[in-house]
Amino acid sequence: QVQLVESGGGLVQTGGSLRLSCAASGRTYQITTLAWFRLAPGKEREFVGSITWRTRTADVANSVKGRFTISRDNARDNAESTVYLHMSGLKPEDTAVYYCAVDVHAPRIPSDDKFYDYWGQGTQVTVSS
């Protein structure tokens, strides 16, 4: 199993920045992709971005491109490791609970949440206008 713990959420004003962390532990050597999703009240879960575990290739959704980036620390692929979601230029519409999730199979469609095997508990981000 893989355990995921998010942190870093909070209340920020429009235009502000936050950095979310997703700490992965357990069988991290199984991870192929780690993604961030968000869930806002009354909306469907939305893909934010993802990073491939070994090559650290990251991509983000068009809705956040230019404002959000994803990175992973320098830990070994089979060690505990943290992935970051760097958010800047925050808008009220970014308000949501943010979740990280991992896929432990061969890389699949990163934006499809049904392919993810393990999820964190989520962290709330609130952007005030």
Side-chain angles (χ1 to χ4, degrees):
Q1 283 193 335
V2 177
Q3 293 80 43
L4 302 171
V5 178
E6 300 101 332
S7 61
L11 174 64
V12 64
Q13 292 185 333
T14 296
S17 300
L18 278 177
R19 187 184 75 170
L20 304 184
S21 299
C22 175
S25 61
R27 296 182 178 180
T28 57
Y29 62 90
Q30 295 182 325
I31 300 172
T32 54
T33 303
L34 186 145
W36 287 93
F37 291 84
R38 63 186 181 185
L39 183 61
K43 296 186 177 180
E44 293 187 352
R45 187 156 55 192
E46 178 188 13
F47 172 76
V48 176
S50 63
I51 186 167
T52 55
W53 194 249
R54 288 171 175 74
T55 63
R56 293 176 167 83
T57 301
D59 194 16
V60 296
N62 288 334
S63 59
V64 302
K65 195 156 289 187
R67 300 187 298 123
F68 292 12
T69 60
I70 298 174
S71 65
R72 185 186 153 212
D73 65 16
N74 293 325
R76 297 190 312 272
D77 294 338
N78 62 349
E80 295 183 0
S81 181
T82 300
V83 171
Y84 301 99
L85 178 63
H86 309 266
M87 306 186 294
S88 62
L90 284 162
K91 307 174 182 179
E93 51 264 44
D94 295 317
T95 294
V97 178
Y98 284 71
Y99 299 89
C100 60
V102 295
D103 185 353
V104 298
H105 298 85
R108 298 179 283 190
I109 302 172
S111 59
D112 194 331
D113 60 2
K114 70 174 179 283
F115 290 134
Y116 289 87
D117 304 285
Y118 301 101
W119 293 77
Q121 82 288 352
T123 185
Q124 175 71 47
V125 172
T126 303
V127 184
S128 63
S129 57

